[in-house]
Structure formats: C-alpha cells, structure tokens
Amino acid sequence: MATFLSGRSRVFIAYYFAVSLVGYVALYFWSQELDPRRWLEYAIFILLIVIADLVNVTLPHGGASISVSTPITFASIVLFGAYPAAWMEAVSAIVVEGLVNRRPLEKVFFNVPVLALSTGLAGIVFQALPFSEILTSPLFLIPLVACGVVHWLVNTSLVSTIIGLSDGRNPLRIWRSNYFWNLRHLVAFVPLTAIIILVYRFAAPWTLALFIIPLLLLRYAYRLYLDMKETHIATLTALTSALDAKDAYTHGHSYRVSRYALQLGRALGLSGK
C-alpha cells in the first residue's frame, strides 16, 4: 500500500481513503439487514455475478472495465433489498478481483466499496420510489430505470475520478470517453432485469441458469463494438502513414494536424470526438 501511494497527490490520497471509508462503514451498518435464512439465495446470486464478472470487457482508456453482471445486480436489489444486494456485490468483487484475477490489494480495497456504494444507493432510490413493490404492473419499470441510472452514475463517477486523479487527467473526459456511451445499454439491461426478477419470483430458482447465455451474448456485443472502434482507428492510421510515406518532407503531417485539432477543440470546450 505504501508503494502504491508513493508519489501520489494529496487529493488522490484523500479521495481514495474517503471513498473507501464511506463504503466500508456503510457495509458495516448494512450488514444488520442480512437475513441468515436466505444464505442459499444470496450464494446463488453471488455465483451468477461472479460468472458474469469473469468475462468483463476492458475499456480502451484508463484500464477500467465493464461487466454484464449488471442485470443480476439490479435483480438482487429488487428481490432482496438494497443492503443485502450491496453485500452480494462486495463479496463478488472480492472473489473475482482478489481471488481469481489477483489484482493488486490496493485496487481491490477501493473497488469493493465503490461497487457496494453504487448498489446500495441505487437500491435506496429504487425502494423510495412508488410502484417498486408492484411486480405485476409495468409501472414497476419506472423505479427500475431510476435504479439503473443511479447505479451507473455513482459507479462511473467514482471510477472516473480515481483514474483522473491517478493519471493527472480530467475525470470528466475520462467519464465521457469510457462510460457515457454505456448509458444506452440500460435499455437492454432493464427488460432483462425484469425477466430475471419475474422468473425467480414466480418460477423455480434453477431457471436463473438460463440467463447465463444471454449475458454472454451481451458481453460478446460489447467486445465487438470496441473491436470495431479500434479497427477503424487502426485503418485510418495505416492510410495516413501510407500517404505520408510518399513525401519525407511532410512525414507525420497528418498525425500532427490531428493533435493540433484535438488540442484546439479541447481548448474550446469540445469533446475529443
């Protein structure tokens, strides 16, 4: 931990420990809401989240990643409540990041409270809104959408800020580059979450295993989208290199022009895109 914090700014250190402290304190108080009689149900959902998290997709900027376990997390909020869902997300993070992927301890230490806070706050908002307990009405989708938006905002904001403070970059630009486009996937997550909830509530729990394949397909779609973006950029780079190679005097001209244009645009408050 000391090596990780060496050379970091005071703002980074303060933010790192502030978020961690709030998250772990919240988990301590939220543990009182756990129901020991439902441990088997908790274990089933933790297992599903772990399986989904093992096939996450790494984003191109900052080393962050996205997971297709989100619908399962949302379903756990509705079925078990905000606080048990936050604990399930925390345990899943420890298993995936600490035990399976063996990420550095300092990253696991921070990511666990981030995921717990995102899930807990999203669940609190869901439970505070009307129609949250009327699963037989389509109005139930309204608080579910709000739950998804809050979870997305809290999680992506906390992660983008820590990445920005670590690299000395603007957290807002990191957020817009890595996460803003991901909001559209809530359109797919919400109905899938509703189906998981209804199947679990009104059918046998084993049917949850059927959702592994759709979640893997979502992951495949994520990966294809990012691969297409990278291929497009690589193709443009190859074309400009071929053009510049014809004239040694103007070699690198296209690249320099793109850098100048990007800097001018940012100075004017425009996005990189």
Side-chain angles (χ1 to χ4, degrees):
M1 182 70 74
T3 304
F4 169 72
L5 295 176
S6 61
R8 303 286 187 177
S9 67
R10 292 182 179 178
V11 177
F12 175 91
I13 296 174
Y15 178 81
Y16 178 90
F17 284 108
V19 173
S20 300
L21 178 62
V22 171
Y24 285 114
V25 169
L27 281 173
Y28 172 76
F29 286 103
W30 293 347
S31 64
Q32 301 174 15
E33 298 296 326
L34 295 174
D35 187 352
R37 296 169 298 180
R38 307 190 71 177
W39 69 267
L40 181 58
E41 295 177 272
Y42 295 161
I44 292 174
F45 271 78
I46 289 173
L47 177 61
L48 290 174
I49 294 173
V50 167
I51 293 174
D53 281 341
L54 288 176
V55 292
N56 60 7
V57 179
T58 302
L59 296 171
H61 306 292
S65 60
I66 52 177
S67 172
V68 294
S69 66
T70 307
I72 305 173
T73 300
F74 292 170
S76 67
I77 290 174
V78 178
L79 294 170
F80 306 110
Y83 306 146
W87 262 100
M88 284 187 275
E89 190 73 8
V91 172
S92 303
I94 294 173
V95 173
V96 173
E97 299 193 16
L99 302 180
V100 178
N101 294 333
R102 295 185 178 278
R103 289 191 174 185
L105 179 61
E106 59 271 11
K107 290 188 176 181
V108 179
F109 181 81
F110 181 80
N111 289 341
V112 168
V114 166
L115 291 170
L117 287 173
S118 304
T119 304
L121 294 176
I124 292 172
V125 170
F126 173 81
Q127 294 171 344
L129 293 175
F131 311 114
S132 60
E133 297 181 359
I134 309 177
L135 301 185
T136 55
S137 170
L139 295 175
F140 150 74
L141 296 176
I142 297 175
L144 190 58
V145 170
C147 169
V149 172
V150 171
H151 184 278
W152 171 77
L153 277 175
V154 174
N155 185 273
T156 57
S157 299
L158 293 175
V159 173
S160 298
T161 302
I162 195 69
I163 293 175
L165 294 176
S166 175
D167 298 343
R169 292 183 289 162
N170 188 329
L172 180 59
R173 287 176 181 166
I174 295 174
W175 180 80
R176 293 176 64 178
S177 174
N178 266 338
Y179 296 112
F180 183 71
W181 62 272
N182 193 34
L183 179 61
R184 72 190 72 170
H185 290 85
L186 282 176
V187 177
F189 284 158
V190 168
L192 182 57
T193 300
I195 295 173
I196 293 175
I197 294 168
L198 295 174
V199 167
Y200 186 84
R201 180 64 64 86
F202 301 110
W206 69 266
T207 54
L208 289 176
L210 300 176
F211 291 96
I212 295 298
I213 294 177
L215 291 175
L216 292 178
L217 289 176
L218 275 176
R219 188 264 183 188
Y220 181 66
Y222 272 138
R223 185 68 265 170
L224 280 182
Y225 173 78
L226 294 176
D227 287 346
M228 286 178 61
K229 289 184 66 175
E230 293 175 4
T231 301
H232 177 67
I233 294 173
T235 301
L236 291 177
T237 302
L239 288 173
T240 54
S241 297
L243 290 172
D244 290 341
K246 289 184 177 182
D247 191 342
Y249 180 76
T250 60
H251 181 69
H253 172 72
S254 300
Y255 176 79
R256 290 192 297 273
V257 169
S258 69
R259 297 296 95 187
Y260 295 149
L262 192 61
Q263 292 176 22
L264 287 171
R266 285 176 174 170
L268 293 171
L270 303 175
S271 66
K273 183 178 180 180

